[in-house]
Amino acid sequence: MKTKKVTTVWKKTSWLLMILPLMFTSVEAQKRSLPADTSIVKTDKVMVKGKEISYKVTVGTQPVYGEDGEADAALFYTYYERTDVKNKEKRPIFISFNGGPGAGSLWMHLGYTSPKRLVIDDEGYPVQPYGIQDNPHSIIDVADIVYVNPVNTGFSRILNDGKPEQFFGVNEDLAYLADWIDTFISRNERWRSPKYLIGESYGTPRVSGLAGQLQGRHWMFLNGVILVSPTGLGLNPAGPVPMSSILKVPYYTAAAWYHKQLPSDLQSKDLDELLPMVEDFTLDELLPALSRGGFVEDADKNSIARKLARYIGLSEDFVLDYNLEVPASAFWKELMRDEGYTIGRLDSRYTGIDKTDGGDSYDYPAEYSSWKHSFTPAINHYVQDVLGFKTDLQYYVSGPVRPWNRDGNQTGEMLRKAMAENPYLKVLVQSGYYDGATDYFSAKYTMWNLDPSGKMRDRFKFEGYRSGHMMYLRTEDLATSNEHIREFIKNSLPAEGVPARYK
């Protein structure tokens, strides 16, 4: 009897030992997690410039490896390749980043260059039902494109022993992303291909720094960098710096012109005629006056105030209240206050309504609320329902990446040095006239100051558009801006046999 009892107890214990791993596995499987290394491949076609283009799209994850060789994070990406190309060594590849620094790649992915575009109206406003459609302006006809989500953006996440401080900072970001790109290029056999980086907003210091990081640490040389709605890139010369309210004055004019808030003689001018006048006024009259601070003569101050008020659609008293330097937040609230509207920060074509018309700043950014309205359902539907990448993770449109270490931002200098060392490398700057966050004139100022020597000025190109931060949301500018990219590719591909040298 004793033996039988022991046998029975052992059978029960053995059964428990067998099911416990299954129980733990089941619990573990229910955690929201992302596989470090996986992919799904689909094929599709799109009409671009009247020609049918066949392509395959790979959606998946690729690890970020730590010093111990283990995956410290998984980056979610979407990769489009034209399928009828025989020689990849001549086929350009674009690596696309958005900004934030916590922004997912959905913006340029479903808004700009890919074969798919979200459903919006011709000016960029949401419409229902939400979804995607073919993008007849995609650059897939001339280049392959991979859209990368840095850590804690999109579906990208930290794994295992990874720590936030490894990823969340200007230089930390550059280091791990350059390693990731190196691996991606090797896996996809693209070392011989012409390579391009395109970044939007905070993505512009990211790709500027990556140009230097890839070239300096990985010996990966680029043909081009595209800066969409760029920031100051760490350039802080004496005097007015990029992003200051001084350099926003031409943007103020553009926004006031769009909303018909200018005096009739200025309102009747075309924007292309008006903006150069205001740019000259800003540099040649306003800047010298502001440089004198409180010692500017009253007559000069009043004269400047009258001109400035006319150019930006506000009252002379309002301009004087701010000593000729109107902050952007006050401008967004004041311009259409009498009509009961605020205007957007990233795209001032958009209007919002506040709880009260009083105050010196808006309640919410009208444009960003509109964009999240249309983009969030579109990216989740496309990735999960159409491409089949199923996950319970939330797609981080704007993910948690704080605190972000901004020390040592030398990204503009990294780009300048990369260009100096690589005669092939060219830069295209694209900006919307109605962008009040990374305004177009500050973008020009940044471009002018990237190379103080002027020896590389013929390798920079600026293009402006009658829309905002994401100029591609306006259908007319979507076509034009993608065509500018095609021209940029053509002009940055050297003729066969032409060496990379200065003399």
Side-chain angles (χ1 to χ4, degrees), residues 314-352:
L314 302 181
S315 73
E316 187 176 335
D317 286 344
F318 190 85
V319 167
L320 286 170
D321 284 345
Y322 284 101
N323 297 317
L324 309 181
E325 197 169 354
V326 177
S329 58
F331 178 78
W332 298 324
K333 181 74 174 184
E334 179 68 15
L335 183 67
M336 301 186 71
R337 191 193 300 265
D338 290 347
E339 299 177 40
Y341 296 107
T342 62
I343 63 170
R345 169 178 173 263
L346 291 161
D347 191 330
S348 292
R349 295 176 303 146
Y350 292 73
T351 54

Short mmCIF file of all heavy atoms in Angstrom, two decimals, residues 314-352:
data_model
loop_
_atom_site.label_atom_id
_atom_site.label_comp_id
_atom_site.label_asym_id
_atom_site.label_seq_id
_atom_site.Cartn_x
_atom_site.Cartn_y
_atom_site.Cartn_z
N LEU A 314 -0.78 92.06 -38.45
CA LEU A 314 -1.14 92.40 -37.07
C LEU A 314 -1.10 93.91 -36.89
O LEU A 314 -0.61 94.65 -37.75
CB LEU A 314 -0.19 91.71 -36.08
CG LEU A 314 -0.11 90.18 -36.17
CD1 LEU A 314 0.85 89.65 -35.12
CD2 LEU A 314 -1.49 89.55 -36.00
N SER A 315 -1.57 94.39 -35.74
CA SER A 315 -1.58 95.83 -35.50
C SER A 315 -0.19 96.32 -35.09
O SER A 315 0.63 95.56 -34.55
CB SER A 315 -2.58 96.18 -34.40
OG SER A 315 -2.09 95.76 -33.13
N GLU A 316 0.04 97.59 -35.35
CA GLU A 316 1.32 98.20 -34.97
C GLU A 316 1.50 98.17 -33.45
O GLU A 316 2.62 97.91 -32.96
CB GLU A 316 1.37 99.64 -35.49
CG GLU A 316 2.70 100.32 -35.32
CD GLU A 316 2.71 101.71 -35.94
OE1 GLU A 316 1.91 101.95 -36.87
OE2 GLU A 316 3.51 102.55 -35.48
N ASP A 317 0.43 98.41 -32.70
CA ASP A 317 0.53 98.37 -31.24
C ASP A 317 0.93 96.98 -30.75
O ASP A 317 1.73 96.83 -29.81
CB ASP A 317 -0.80 98.79 -30.61
CG ASP A 317 -1.06 100.29 -30.72
OD1 ASP A 317 -0.09 101.03 -31.00
OD2 ASP A 317 -2.22 100.69 -30.55
N PHE A 318 0.36 95.96 -31.37
CA PHE A 318 0.68 94.58 -30.97
C PHE A 318 2.17 94.30 -31.20
O PHE A 318 2.84 93.72 -30.35
CB PHE A 318 -0.18 93.60 -31.77
CG PHE A 318 -0.12 92.19 -31.28
CD1 PHE A 318 -0.95 91.76 -30.25
CD2 PHE A 318 0.76 91.28 -31.84
CE1 PHE A 318 -0.89 90.44 -29.79
CE2 PHE A 318 0.83 89.96 -31.39
CZ PHE A 318 -0.01 89.54 -30.37
N VAL A 319 2.68 94.74 -32.34
CA VAL A 319 4.09 94.54 -32.66
C VAL A 319 4.98 95.29 -31.66
O VAL A 319 5.98 94.76 -31.18
CB VAL A 319 4.37 95.01 -34.11
CG1 VAL A 319 5.87 95.12 -34.36
CG2 VAL A 319 3.73 94.05 -35.10
N LEU A 320 4.61 96.51 -31.32
CA LEU A 320 5.40 97.30 -30.36
C LEU A 320 5.33 96.71 -28.95
O LEU A 320 6.31 96.79 -28.19
CB LEU A 320 4.92 98.75 -30.36
CG LEU A 320 5.32 99.57 -31.58
CD1 LEU A 320 4.59 100.92 -31.60
CD2 LEU A 320 6.84 99.78 -31.60
N ASP A 321 4.19 96.13 -28.60
CA ASP A 321 4.08 95.49 -27.29
C ASP A 321 5.13 94.39 -27.12
O ASP A 321 5.55 94.08 -25.99
CB ASP A 321 2.69 94.89 -27.10
CG ASP A 321 1.63 95.94 -26.80
OD1 ASP A 321 2.01 97.08 -26.46
OD2 ASP A 321 0.42 95.63 -26.92
N TYR A 322 5.54 93.77 -28.22
CA TYR A 322 6.56 92.72 -28.17
C TYR A 322 7.92 93.21 -28.63
O TYR A 322 8.80 92.41 -28.95
CB TYR A 322 6.12 91.52 -29.03
CG TYR A 322 5.06 90.68 -28.37
CD1 TYR A 322 3.72 90.80 -28.74
CD2 TYR A 322 5.38 89.77 -27.37
CE1 TYR A 322 2.73 90.03 -28.14
CE2 TYR A 322 4.41 88.99 -26.76
CZ TYR A 322 3.09 89.13 -27.14
OH TYR A 322 2.12 88.36 -26.54
N ASN A 323 8.11 94.53 -28.66
CA ASN A 323 9.40 95.11 -29.04
C ASN A 323 9.92 94.58 -30.37
O ASN A 323 11.10 94.23 -30.51
CB ASN A 323 10.44 94.89 -27.93
CG ASN A 323 10.07 95.58 -26.65
OD1 ASN A 323 9.62 96.74 -26.65
ND2 ASN A 323 10.22 94.89 -25.53
N LEU A 324 9.03 94.51 -31.34
CA LEU A 324 9.32 94.12 -32.72
C LEU A 324 9.60 92.62 -32.89
O LEU A 324 9.90 92.18 -34.01
CB LEU A 324 10.54 94.89 -33.28
CG LEU A 324 10.52 96.41 -33.16
CD1 LEU A 324 11.80 96.99 -33.79
CD2 LEU A 324 9.30 97.00 -33.86
N GLU A 325 9.48 91.85 -31.83
CA GLU A 325 9.83 90.42 -31.92
C GLU A 325 8.64 89.59 -31.44
O GLU A 325 8.59 89.10 -30.32
CB GLU A 325 11.07 90.14 -31.08
CG GLU A 325 11.75 88.83 -31.42
CD GLU A 325 13.12 88.70 -30.77
OE1 GLU A 325 13.60 89.67 -30.15
OE2 GLU A 325 13.71 87.62 -30.89
N VAL A 326 7.67 89.39 -32.32
CA VAL A 326 6.43 88.71 -31.96
C VAL A 326 6.67 87.21 -31.85
O VAL A 326 7.11 86.57 -32.81
CB VAL A 326 5.34 88.97 -33.03
CG1 VAL A 326 4.07 88.21 -32.70
CG2 VAL A 326 5.06 90.47 -33.14
N PRO A 327 6.38 86.61 -30.70
CA PRO A 327 6.56 85.16 -30.56
C PRO A 327 5.56 84.40 -31.42
O PRO A 327 4.44 84.87 -31.67
CB PRO A 327 6.28 84.90 -29.07
CG PRO A 327 6.23 86.24 -28.41
CD PRO A 327 5.89 87.23 -29.47
N ALA A 328 5.95 83.22 -31.85
CA ALA A 328 5.08 82.42 -32.72
C ALA A 328 3.77 82.08 -32.02
O ALA A 328 2.69 82.14 -32.64
CB ALA A 328 5.81 81.14 -33.14
N SER A 329 3.81 81.74 -30.74
CA SER A 329 2.58 81.35 -30.03
C SER A 329 1.58 82.49 -30.02
O SER A 329 0.36 82.29 -30.17
CB SER A 329 2.91 80.91 -28.60
OG SER A 329 3.56 81.95 -27.89
N ALA A 330 2.07 83.72 -29.86
CA ALA A 330 1.18 84.88 -29.88
C ALA A 330 0.62 85.11 -31.28
O ALA A 330 -0.56 85.48 -31.44
CB ALA A 330 1.94 86.12 -29.41
N PHE A 331 1.42 84.89 -32.30
CA PHE A 331 0.97 85.07 -33.67
C PHE A 331 -0.15 84.08 -34.01
O PHE A 331 -1.16 84.46 -34.61
CB PHE A 331 2.15 84.88 -34.63
CG PHE A 331 1.78 84.99 -36.08
CD1 PHE A 331 1.57 86.22 -36.67
CD2 PHE A 331 1.61 83.84 -36.85
CE1 PHE A 331 1.21 86.32 -38.01
CE2 PHE A 331 1.26 83.93 -38.19
CZ PHE A 331 1.06 85.17 -38.77
N TRP A 332 0.02 82.80 -33.62
CA TRP A 332 -0.99 81.79 -33.93
C TRP A 332 -2.34 82.12 -33.27
O TRP A 332 -3.38 81.79 -33.79
CB TRP A 332 -0.51 80.41 -33.47
CG TRP A 332 0.74 79.96 -34.16
CD1 TRP A 332 1.09 80.19 -35.45
CD2 TRP A 332 1.81 79.22 -33.58
NE1 TRP A 332 2.31 79.63 -35.73
CE2 TRP A 332 2.79 79.03 -34.61
CE3 TRP A 332 2.07 78.68 -32.32
CZ2 TRP A 332 3.98 78.33 -34.40
CZ3 TRP A 332 3.25 77.99 -32.11
CH2 TRP A 332 4.19 77.82 -33.13
N LYS A 333 -2.29 82.76 -32.12
CA LYS A 333 -3.52 83.13 -31.42
C LYS A 333 -4.11 84.43 -31.96
O LYS A 333 -5.34 84.58 -32.06
CB LYS A 333 -3.23 83.29 -29.92
CG LYS A 333 -4.43 83.64 -29.06
CD LYS A 333 -5.37 82.47 -28.86
CE LYS A 333 -6.47 82.82 -27.88
NZ LYS A 333 -7.36 81.69 -27.59
N GLU A 334 -3.27 85.38 -32.33
CA GLU A 334 -3.71 86.74 -32.63
C GLU A 334 -4.21 86.92 -34.06
O GLU A 334 -5.16 87.69 -34.28
CB GLU A 334 -2.56 87.72 -32.38
CG GLU A 334 -2.86 89.18 -32.67
CD GLU A 334 -3.86 89.80 -31.70
OE1 GLU A 334 -4.11 89.18 -30.64
OE2 GLU A 334 -4.39 90.88 -32.00
N LEU A 335 -3.62 86.23 -35.04
CA LEU A 335 -3.87 86.55 -36.44
C LEU A 335 -5.36 86.58 -36.78
O LEU A 335 -5.83 87.50 -37.44
CB LEU A 335 -3.14 85.57 -37.36
CG LEU A 335 -3.29 85.86 -38.86
CD1 LEU A 335 -2.59 87.16 -39.23
CD2 LEU A 335 -2.76 84.71 -39.69
N MET A 336 -6.13 85.59 -36.32
CA MET A 336 -7.55 85.51 -36.66
C MET A 336 -8.43 85.58 -35.41
O MET A 336 -9.56 85.08 -35.40
CB MET A 336 -7.83 84.23 -37.45
CG MET A 336 -7.04 84.14 -38.74
SD MET A 336 -7.50 82.70 -39.74
CE MET A 336 -9.13 83.19 -40.30
N ARG A 337 -7.92 86.21 -34.37
CA ARG A 337 -8.66 86.31 -33.12
C ARG A 337 -10.03 86.96 -33.33
O ARG A 337 -11.03 86.52 -32.78
CB ARG A 337 -7.86 87.10 -32.09
CG ARG A 337 -8.44 87.03 -30.67
CD ARG A 337 -7.78 88.06 -29.76
NE ARG A 337 -6.35 87.88 -29.63
CZ ARG A 337 -5.75 87.22 -28.65
NH1 ARG A 337 -6.49 86.62 -27.71
NH2 ARG A 337 -4.44 87.16 -28.58
N ASP A 338 -10.07 88.01 -34.15
CA ASP A 338 -11.33 88.73 -34.37
C ASP A 338 -12.39 87.85 -35.03
O ASP A 338 -13.60 88.11 -34.89
CB ASP A 338 -11.09 89.97 -35.24
CG ASP A 338 -10.31 91.04 -34.51
OD1 ASP A 338 -10.17 90.94 -33.27
OD2 ASP A 338 -9.82 91.97 -35.17
N GLU A 339 -11.96 86.82 -35.74
CA GLU A 339 -12.90 85.91 -36.39
C GLU A 339 -13.19 84.67 -35.55
O GLU A 339 -13.99 83.82 -35.94
CB GLU A 339 -12.36 85.50 -37.77
CG GLU A 339 -12.17 86.66 -38.72
CD GLU A 339 -11.56 86.23 -40.04
OE1 GLU A 339 -11.94 85.15 -40.55
OE2 GLU A 339 -10.70 86.97 -40.57
N GLY A 340 -12.52 84.56 -34.40
CA GLY A 340 -12.78 83.45 -33.49
C GLY A 340 -12.01 82.19 -33.79
O GLY A 340 -12.38 81.11 -33.33
N TYR A 341 -10.89 82.32 -34.52
CA TYR A 341 -10.10 81.14 -34.88
C TYR A 341 -8.64 81.29 -34.45
O TYR A 341 -8.11 82.41 -34.36
CB TYR A 341 -10.11 80.90 -36.39
CG TYR A 341 -11.47 80.58 -36.95
CD1 TYR A 341 -12.16 81.52 -37.71
CD2 TYR A 341 -12.06 79.35 -36.73
CE1 TYR A 341 -13.42 81.25 -38.24
CE2 TYR A 341 -13.32 79.05 -37.25
CZ TYR A 341 -13.98 80.00 -37.99
OH TYR A 341 -15.23 79.71 -38.50
N THR A 342 -8.01 80.16 -34.19
CA THR A 342 -6.55 80.10 -34.09
C THR A 342 -6.04 79.45 -35.37
O THR A 342 -6.81 78.89 -36.15
CB THR A 342 -6.12 79.25 -32.89
OG1 THR A 342 -6.60 77.90 -33.06
CG2 THR A 342 -6.67 79.83 -31.59
N ILE A 343 -4.72 79.54 -35.58
CA ILE A 343 -4.15 78.86 -36.74
C ILE A 343 -3.12 77.83 -36.28
O ILE A 343 -2.57 77.93 -35.17
CB ILE A 343 -3.51 79.85 -37.74
CG1 ILE A 343 -2.33 80.59 -37.10
CG2 ILE A 343 -4.55 80.81 -38.26
CD1 ILE A 343 -1.52 81.41 -38.10
N GLY A 344 -2.86 76.86 -37.12
CA GLY A 344 -1.99 75.75 -36.76
C GLY A 344 -0.52 76.12 -36.67
O GLY A 344 -0.07 77.08 -37.31
N ARG A 345 0.21 75.33 -35.91
CA ARG A 345 1.65 75.53 -35.74
C ARG A 345 2.45 74.91 -36.88
O ARG A 345 3.25 75.58 -37.53
CB ARG A 345 2.07 74.91 -34.40
CG ARG A 345 3.58 74.79 -34.17
CD ARG A 345 3.87 74.21 -32.79
NE ARG A 345 5.29 73.93 -32.61
CZ ARG A 345 5.84 72.72 -32.78
NH1 ARG A 345 5.07 71.69 -33.16
NH2 ARG A 345 7.13 72.54 -32.59
N LEU A 346 2.24 73.62 -37.13
CA LEU A 346 3.00 72.92 -38.16
C LEU A 346 2.47 73.19 -39.56
O LEU A 346 3.19 73.03 -40.54
CB LEU A 346 2.97 71.41 -37.89
CG LEU A 346 3.75 70.95 -36.65
CD1 LEU A 346 3.31 69.58 -36.21
CD2 LEU A 346 5.25 70.96 -36.93
N ASP A 347 1.23 73.60 -39.64
CA ASP A 347 0.64 73.97 -40.93
C ASP A 347 -0.43 75.01 -40.65
O ASP A 347 -1.51 74.68 -40.16
CB ASP A 347 0.04 72.75 -41.65
CG ASP A 347 -0.32 73.05 -43.09
OD1 ASP A 347 -0.65 74.21 -43.39
OD2 ASP A 347 -0.29 72.12 -43.92
N SER A 348 -0.13 76.24 -40.95
CA SER A 348 -1.01 77.35 -40.57
C SER A 348 -2.20 77.53 -41.49
O SER A 348 -3.00 78.45 -41.30
CB SER A 348 -0.21 78.65 -40.47
OG SER A 348 0.69 78.58 -39.39
N ARG A 349 -2.37 76.64 -42.46
CA ARG A 349 -3.61 76.65 -43.24
C ARG A 349 -4.78 76.14 -42.38
O ARG A 349 -5.93 76.46 -42.63
CB ARG A 349 -3.46 75.76 -44.47
CG ARG A 349 -2.42 76.24 -45.48
CD ARG A 349 -2.27 75.24 -46.62
NE ARG A 349 -1.93 73.93 -46.13
CZ ARG A 349 -2.34 72.78 -46.67
NH1 ARG A 349 -3.15 72.79 -47.73
NH2 ARG A 349 -1.97 71.62 -46.17
N TYR A 350 -4.46 75.32 -41.39
CA TYR A 350 -5.49 74.72 -40.53
C TYR A 350 -5.92 75.72 -39.47
O TYR A 350 -5.10 76.46 -38.91
CB TYR A 350 -4.94 73.47 -39.84
CG TYR A 350 -4.67 72.31 -40.77
CD1 TYR A 350 -3.59 72.33 -41.64
CD2 TYR A 350 -5.49 71.18 -40.78
CE1 TYR A 350 -3.34 71.27 -42.50
CE2 TYR A 350 -5.25 70.11 -41.63
CZ TYR A 350 -4.16 70.17 -42.48
OH TYR A 350 -3.91 69.11 -43.33
N THR A 351 -7.22 75.72 -39.16
CA THR A 351 -7.75 76.61 -38.13
C THR A 351 -8.39 75.79 -37.02
O THR A 351 -8.89 74.68 -37.24
CB THR A 351 -8.79 77.58 -38.72
OG1 THR A 351 -9.80 76.83 -39.40
CG2 THR A 351 -8.13 78.55 -39.68
N GLY A 352 -8.37 76.37 -35.81
CA GLY A 352 -8.98 75.72 -34.66
C GLY A 352 -9.85 76.69 -33.90
O GLY A 352 -9.88 77.90 -34.20
#
